[in-house]
Amino acid sequence: MARLRLTPFDALIVVDMQKDFSSGGSLPVKGAEEIVPVINSYVSLFREKGLPIFATRDWHPENHVSFKDNGGIWPRHCVQWSRGAEFIDGLELPPDTFIINKGDKPELEAYSGFQGTLLDSLLRERGVKRLFVCGVATDYCVKNTALGGLNLGYQVFVFSDAVRGVSPETTERAEEELLERGALFIEKEELL
Ligand code: VGL
Ligand code: ZN
């Protein structure tokens, strides 16, 4: 078992914990509600230490290219300002959480929280070196946000007890790819 302690160079990235990705939403990810309390406990931990917390949101316009109606592969989801785009009930984000909207250009898919956003510059400004990633979906936005972080030179940890994927096969492949690229998977007990 690994043991690690949070340092002043760490940030928490909560990926797409939105109603449309929970049960009853238009693109439900199994177990998304289940990880809400786990994510809340990570949020408290980072908050206690005064470390920055970022929450990404899938934030699509009505005419987004990823929707089936517009030639994409997904049902309509996370439309800007709609109820489905809201954070899942019970998710406790402090008022100073940085909200990162992505996928807000009609013609561009954005599975990564770094794509077309200020995330990298906000992290850099704060001297962040290590990212701790949780949320949904392991096989899409968690994966691409983590890979984006690795490409930009961050050390990336994925909280394995606080992520969920769309399908078991793609989730397993995503985990494999993340491991190959140097991400580490850790859980609550390993954080001192
Ligand atoms: C996501 C599918 C479509 C995600 C976003 O947050 O993983 N998946 N849009
Ligand atoms: Zn989307």
Side-chain angles (χ1 to χ4, degrees):
M1 192 165 109
R3 291 192 302 164
L4 69 156
R5 186 163 289 152
L6 293 176
T7 74
F9 314 105
D10 296 339
L12 179 66
I13 318 277
V14 179
V15 177
D16 295 9
M17 286 297 287
Q18 294 163 278
K19 288 195 172 78
D20 269 340
F21 297 126
S22 69
S23 56
S26 62
L27 210 172
V29 176
K30 225 205 268 157
E33 302 89 86
E34 204 171 278
I35 61 174
V36 167
V38 189
I39 292 179
N40 286 344
S41 74
Y42 285 123
V43 166
S44 311
L45 207 63
F46 278 72
R47 197 176 184 201
E48 272 167 32
K49 308 223 177 231
L51 297 172
I53 299 165
F54 295 81
T56 69
R57 282 199 296 206
D58 219 22
W59 198 246
H60 298 317
E62 296 272 2
N63 57 347
H64 195 252
V65 64
S66 78
F67 298 168
K68 281 175 186 156
D69 291 345
N70 309 317
I73 61 168
W74 303 112
R76 215 181 107 96
H77 64 279
C78 299
V79 171
Q80 296 169 3
W81 309 113
S82 70
R83 182 172 158 77
E86 292 172 6
F87 290 119
I88 298 174
D89 291 332
L91 185 70
E92 292 162 5
L93 295 172
D96 58 354
T97 301
F98 296 93
I99 307 291
I100 304 292
N101 294 331
K102 64 179 175 61
D104 55 349
K105 304 263 185 313
E107 67 285 359
L108 291 177
E109 178 57 294
Y111 289 138
S112 164
F114 288 99
Q115 210 175 327
T117 72
L118 293 174
L119 182 55
D120 182 43
S121 47
L122 292 168
L123 290 165
R124 234 162 257 282
E125 270 171 25
R126 285 163 185 80
V128 172
K129 304 273 182 258
R130 306 198 301 182
L131 310 181
F132 291 78
V133 183
C134 59
V136 294
T138 315
D139 34 358
Y140 294 94
C141 291
V142 168
K143 171 181 123 175
N144 285 279
T145 301
L147 290 177
L150 289 165
N151 285 335
L152 289 163
Y154 296 95
Q155 192 173 357
V156 175
F157 296 86
V158 177
F159 283 133
S160 49
D161 50 4
V163 290
R164 289 294 184 273
V166 172
S167 91
E169 300 77 33
T170 48
T171 297
E172 201 174 315
R173 257 189 279 140
E175 287 167 355
E176 199 50 52
E177 188 174 345
L178 284 166
L179 284 171
E180 273 167 24
R181 295 289 308 284
L184 297 171
F185 286 77
I186 62 158
E187 48 190 86
K188 195 74 200 278
E189 296 81 71
E190 296 174 292
L191 259 192
L192 303 178

